[in-house]
Amino acid sequence: MVRLSGTLLIMVAVVEAAITSAGYAQSYPEPVPLARTAAAPHAPPSIWPGFGPTNAPAGPPGAPGVYPPAPPNIPNGRPGLPEYWEEPLGSYGKYDYYLGVGWFGLKRQRNDRQDLFVRDPVSSDNDRPPPPDSPVIATTRIPDPNFQSGVRWTLGLVEDAAAWEFAGFVLPDQATNITLTNPGRISGLFFNPPTGFENIFDNADRVRFSFRHQLYSLEGNYHWASSPSGAGFDYLVGVRYVDLQERYALLVEDNSIQVGPDPAETATYSTRTHNHMIGGSLGLGARMPILEWFGVSWFLRGSWFANRADIDVELVRQDGLLGTRGSSSTWRFSHMYEINVAAELYLGTFCRIKGGYNLLWLLDVAEAANQVSLDLSNPQGRRSFGGDIFYHGPSVEVEFNF
């Protein structure tokens, strides 16, 4: 009898424990895994959306409105990072796509120097070259290129911690002009003029210099981060097309001031270059959030191209007489390097404003001013393909995350 009573007591205890466990299971669902520390669906919103809640109530793991507890000394479950770095704005793993638009400005360096004109002590045509010690008054460094403004854009399609990115920029065609006037005293260092151009470049009254330049880029990249958060390194590999066009021109007026304009005594010597560059790119950068609303970043990038470089040279009189004209093309290896440093402002969950400064080098390209030949009978120009161009300037970009 005693043995039967003990057995009944044990059975009652087991049933009671089962009922208690079933009631607890009904009250609370399975705990949320600790691997990702995103807030539960009903967690209170953060004071800074996109960075995760920082004041979720305590309670059993997985209960409604409860933020899963992190291991000791690990904020939000990610070792070594403050809570507001958990999901900073711009994280590739957070959004489906992003769109960036912005303005940038670049100042191109001056052209390489080649002496073109001197001040002649004699102000009348005497069919003699100027003295060797005549002071140089104009070179191919005239004119100095203006500061140019352009636009840039970026569209990213997000896949986990990486993105397929399509981007580009346009620095539109812009002309810089300057006029040199000294009646009868401007003599060129040119030689071998074609028939009909013999005296135009000697003892001229006025020379008008013009330099035109445009640059644009189109690219497709695979861009990924070292971690889903924005604190860490960014990497880039992609393909790119860069197009550079330049034109350098001299309009020489022989007696336009002393005698009067005459199309037969006015001539234009011009050179034009067009670089079609296609190749690959590699990039490395880092983004460092400092405050909940502010961070800094930098990015380094190199691009290597197969470049089809075209050169056109022309000498024509204003009345239509052609002195010389020629074209040439060749394939060359060219390369480009870029550095960007920036400060970033985070506005809400979907907007980032980025302001910075850019350095850009284009190496081994054909420059228009470098094609100017003092031999006016040469239709090919100097055929120089080793030009190096340096640009620098500020930029502002707004990025929207969706």
Side-chain angles (χ1 to χ4, degrees):
M1 188 68 177
V2 174
R3 183 176 180 180
L4 179 60
S5 299
T7 301
L8 291 175
L9 288 175
I10 292 174
M11 292 178 63
V12 170
V14 169
V15 171
E16 183 178 357
I19 294 174
T20 303
S21 298
Y24 184 86
Q26 185 175 1
S27 301
Y28 300 105
E30 287 296 318
V32 176
L34 188 60
R36 179 171 177 85
T37 60
H42 304 289
S46 169
I47 61 172
W48 191 256
F51 289 85
T54 58
N55 56 352
V66 174
Y67 197 57
N73 303 321
I74 302 180
N76 272 2
R78 190 183 298 279
L81 295 181
E83 291 185 51
Y84 54 80
W85 284 12
E86 172 61 17
E87 286 287 354
L89 193 67
S91 298
Y92 294 138
K94 185 174 178 63
Y95 302 98
D96 292 327
Y97 62 94
Y98 56 91
L99 173 67
V101 292
W103 165 90
F104 73 106
L106 290 178
K107 178 70 170 70
R108 185 196 187 278
Q109 71 175 39
R110 302 180 72 177
N111 292 308
D112 295 338
R113 175 174 176 143
Q114 180 182 195
D115 295 343
L116 297 178
F117 295 92
V118 297
R119 186 171 64 244
D120 199 319
V122 179
S123 61
S124 61
D125 293 333
N126 56 12
D127 295 328
R128 294 181 180 179
D133 59 349
S134 299
V136 175
I137 56 176
T139 72
T140 48
R141 293 178 72 86
I142 297 175
D144 185 9
N146 291 328
F147 179 87
Q148 292 180 258
S149 292
V151 294
R152 65 196 322 162
W153 65 89
T154 305
L155 174 63
L157 306 177
V158 179
E159 180 183 12
D160 296 327
W164 294 98
E165 191 175 82
F166 306 92
F169 69 77
V170 173
L171 200 66
D173 180 25
Q174 185 180 67
T176 305
N177 303 291
I178 192 170
T179 300
L180 175 64
T181 303
N182 195 344
R185 304 288 296 276
I186 304 173
S187 287
L189 300 176
F190 301 91
F191 56 91
N192 291 336
T195 302
F197 294 81
E198 289 86 357
N199 296 319
I200 295 180
F201 289 81
D202 295 329
N203 301 102
D205 289 355
R206 179 185 290 130
V207 179
R208 304 179 189 271
F209 299 82
S210 175
F211 178 68
R212 302 182 67 171
H213 172 274
Q214 71 176 29
L215 175 68
Y216 66 83
S217 170
L218 296 173
E219 58 195 80
N221 305 307
Y222 185 67
H223 202 163
W224 74 98
S226 59
S227 68
S229 75
F233 290 101
D234 290 340
Y235 307 94
L236 177 147
V237 59
V239 294
R240 189 175 197 179
Y241 174 76
V242 176
D243 190 281
L244 169 67
Q245 298 185 53
E246 295 185 340
R247 182 178 184 269
Y248 189 86
L250 312 168
L251 191 152
V252 183
E253 303 172 7
D254 190 11
N255 292 306
S256 61
I257 297 177
Q258 296 184 96
V259 178
D262 184 351
E265 294 186 336
T266 303
T268 299
Y269 179 89
S270 64
T271 60
R272 177 180 172 273
T273 56
H274 192 173
N275 296 268
H276 314 259
M277 294 170 276
I278 185 167
S281 294
L282 294 175
L284 170 66
R287 183 179 301 167
M288 178 74 68
I290 297 175
L291 302 173
E292 295 184 355
W293 53 270
F294 176 77
V296 295
S297 65
W298 57 264
F299 203 82
L300 310 176
R301 185 175 182 182
S303 302
W304 299 267
F305 306 106
N307 176 17
R308 178 181 168 84
D310 302 327
I311 299 175
D312 299 304
V313 178
E314 183 181 75
L315 173 63
V316 62
R317 222 164 59 178
Q318 199 171 60
D319 61 0
L321 178 64
L322 181 64
T324 185
R325 176 183 290 161
S327 300
S328 60
S329 299
T330 187
W331 284 94
R332 309 285 295 189
F333 169 74
S334 302
H335 38 132
M336 183 167 75
Y337 303 95
E338 300 164 86
I339 299 176
N340 170 265
V341 292
E344 303 180 353
L345 296 178
Y346 309 129
L347 304 179
T349 60
F350 66 96
C351 182
R352 179 169 62 120
I353 299 177
K354 180 179 178 181
Y357 205 82
N358 306 277
L359 308 176
L360 187 153
W361 291 264
L362 263 174
L363 307 177
D364 293 317
V365 295
E367 298 181 63
N370 288 353
Q371 312 311 320
V372 175
S373 173
L374 298 180
D375 183 357
L376 294 177
S377 66
N378 179 9
Q380 302 296 319
R382 294 175 60 194
R383 289 182 53 84
S384 172
F385 300 96
D388 300 336
I389 307 175
F390 171 65
Y391 305 83
H392 65 97
S395 63
V396 177
E397 186 173 4
V398 181
E399 182 182 287
F400 301 95
N401 301 283
F402 303 95

